[in-house]
Amino acid sequence: MGSRMLSYSGGDDSHFLEACSLCSKSLGHNSDIFMYRGDNPFCSQECRQEQIEIDDAKEKKWRVSLKKSMETKKKSPKSNVQTGTLLVA
């Protein structure tokens, strides 16, 4: 009977360490596996580093987008209150 890994949710996760998360290269049973963010296996330091750089670029883009969104909100009026005179007959 082969060993099976269980994920934190209790489901079958038997394919967890079979392939590189970036290039999908098969991970050998006797080769080094490079991990990133806890559960992402990579076949080499280069693949892991490339994923780190991809994630860093996405985070930077997200931060710039968030900053622009916050600046736009600061420029817009805080409320939709209208002032004026109301005449009732």
Side-chain angles (χ1 to χ4, degrees):
M1 176 187 258
S3 65
R4 291 172 50 144
M5 294 181 66
L6 297 178
S7 69
Y8 293 112
S9 62
D12 181 14
D13 202 11
S14 59
H15 301 290
F16 171 63
L17 295 174
E18 286 188 7
C20 177
S21 292
L22 186 68
C23 72
S24 300
K25 179 181 173 184
S26 179
L27 300 173
H29 294 289
N30 292 325
S31 62
D32 289 338
I33 297 174
F34 301 87
M35 302 298 292
Y36 172 59
R37 291 199 170 174
D39 60 353
N40 294 316
F42 295 91
C43 64
S44 66
Q45 289 178 337
E46 291 80 14
C47 276
R48 182 180 63 185
Q49 185 60 39
E50 186 172 339
Q51 185 64 56
I52 291 170
E53 290 170 5
I54 289 168
D55 290 350
D56 286 348
K58 284 180 186 177
E59 185 176 340
K60 183 177 180 182
K61 185 177 178 180
W62 176 80
R63 286 178 188 260
V64 167
S65 175
L66 181 63
K67 184 178 178 183
K68 285 181 182 179
S69 175
M70 292 181 78
E71 287 172 356
T72 302
K73 286 181 182 180
K74 286 180 183 178
K75 291 178 184 177
S76 65
K78 298 259 183 211
S79 66
N80 292 329
V81 175
Q82 294 181 353
T83 60
T85 306
L86 176 64
L87 297 175
V88 179

